Amino acid sequence: MEELSIIKTQDGSDSIFSERFGVSYHSRYGAIQESRHVFLQSGLYPRLQALKQVAVLEAGLGTGLNALLTCLEAEKVQKHIRYVALEAFPLSTAQADTLNYAGHLGEAAATILHQIHHSEWGQPVDISPWFTFEKRRIAFENFEEAAAFDVVYFDAFAPNAQPELWEAEVLGRMYRALREDGVFVTYCAKGAVKRCLKSLGFTIEALPGPPGKREMTRGLKVTPA
């Protein structure tokens, strides 16, 4: 059985360390600030500004932090977000219940996070009038849904831990899942990953990374002229 332990990151928010893969689920420089910078500011916000409602696909539910922050943002701007999260190896609900995000994000965050981790697999649930959440227990390699999402949060373990998740087989599935003008965002800035994304049809942007990381990657599925 995989050994998972809770660690404290530099902004005081919790993350999880995987003994099996030798990596943490979030940046040690700050879990909350990394999630906000990479996934919300660089991925979600551009589509929220352009659309009345947004569909998000997350590859790697993990602690549920990205989903939690996205729910809070949906309620703040009062635009509906449909959120589908893929996770092959979920945390136990007992471990998820100990994460300290409510202390940083307010008591409402505790209720939302509880719903994220205690909801039924494969069943959409309206966590708020502005946020419909569904988690699917599935490997990324087995996911296939075409032109259904406006944003992809790609939050897999780093390429040195799970290289197979950063190759064309999986990344191509993410490309096909996006609608035209969709946005793919990830914390990873490796040249091989960017070249693979470009070969699939993405227009690649190297953006400033979150604290502790020089760059991150955004891919745009641009509508042909």
Side-chain angles (χ1 to χ4, degrees), residues 10-84:
Q10 286 186 16
D11 68 2
S13 57
D14 285 346
S15 185
I16 300 287
F17 184 80
S18 167
E19 297 288 350
R20 176 184 176 188
F21 292 103
V23 293
S24 59
Y25 282 41
H26 304 285
S27 168
R28 290 178 177 269
Y29 288 91
I32 289 176
Q33 56 185 1
E34 179 195 38
S35 290
R36 281 179 170 152
H37 181 99
V38 173
F39 300 109
L40 274 71
Q41 293 174 16
S42 303
L44 180 66
Y45 289 178
R47 302 314 290 148
L48 270 182
Q49 291 168 2
L51 301 170
K52 292 182 178 179
Q53 56 185 17
V54 173
V56 176
L57 174 66
E58 180 182 22
L61 174 63
T63 63
L65 177 57
N66 296 334
L68 167 60
L69 291 171
T70 303
C71 180
L72 292 172
E73 188 64 25
E75 293 179 343
K76 178 182 174 182
V77 302
Q78 296 195 343
K79 285 191 176 183
H80 188 264
I81 296 177
R82 171 183 172 244
Y83 196 103
V84 175

Side-chain angles (χ1 to χ4, degrees), residues 11-220:
D11 68 2
S13 57
D14 285 346
S15 185
I16 300 287
F17 184 80
S18 167
E19 297 288 350
R20 176 184 176 188
F21 292 103
V23 293
S24 59
Y25 282 41
H26 304 285
S27 168
R28 290 178 177 269
Y29 288 91
I32 289 176
Q33 56 185 1
E34 179 195 38
S35 290
R36 281 179 170 152
H37 181 99
V38 173
F39 300 109
L40 274 71
Q41 293 174 16
S42 303
L44 180 66
Y45 289 178
R47 302 314 290 148
L48 270 182
Q49 291 168 2
L51 301 170
K52 292 182 178 179
Q53 56 185 17
V54 173
V56 176
L57 174 66
E58 180 182 22
L61 174 63
T63 63
L65 177 57
N66 296 334
L68 167 60
L69 291 171
T70 303
C71 180
L72 292 172
E73 188 64 25
E75 293 179 343
K76 178 182 174 182
V77 302
Q78 296 195 343
K79 285 191 176 183
H80 188 264
I81 296 177
R82 171 183 172 244
Y83 196 103
V84 175
L86 313 179
E87 182 58 71
F89 304 102
L91 297 182
S92 70
T93 53
Q95 195 156 35
D97 287 343
T98 67
L99 294 166
N100 74 347
Y101 301 138
H104 297 266
L105 301 170
E107 282 307 312
T111 301
I112 295 167
L113 194 66
H114 184 273
Q115 290 177 284
I116 286 169
H117 286 290
H118 288 261
S119 63
E120 293 292 328
W121 291 93
Q123 298 295 321
V125 56
D126 291 326
I127 290 181
S128 87
W130 305 106
F131 191 74
T132 300
F133 175 78
E134 180 186 351
K135 59 185 182 184
R136 301 182 188 176
R137 192 164 185 174
I138 183 174
F140 304 167
E141 300 94 323
N142 297 327
F143 176 78
E144 190 69 56
E145 197 165 333
F149 300 94
D150 304 295
V151 185
V152 169
Y153 296 171
F154 199 75
D155 202 12
F157 284 151
N160 62 336
Q162 287 189 291
E164 70 279 6
L165 300 183
W166 299 88
E167 296 173 355
E169 166 64 22
V170 169
L171 295 178
R173 293 173 186 270
M174 302 298 113
Y175 182 85
R176 292 190 293 275
L178 281 170
R179 298 178 177 130
E180 294 297 335
D181 298 322
V183 176
F184 170 101
V185 280
T186 181
Y187 63 87
C188 181
K190 286 192 70 172
V193 171
K194 290 189 282 190
R195 288 190 293 273
C196 182
L197 291 168
K198 188 174 180 179
S199 75
L200 292 166
F202 282 109
T203 298
I204 300 303
E205 297 179 323
L207 303 179
K213 194 165 181 61
R214 187 170 63 86
E215 284 187 359
M216 57 163 286
T217 302
R218 179 162 66 191
L220 308 177

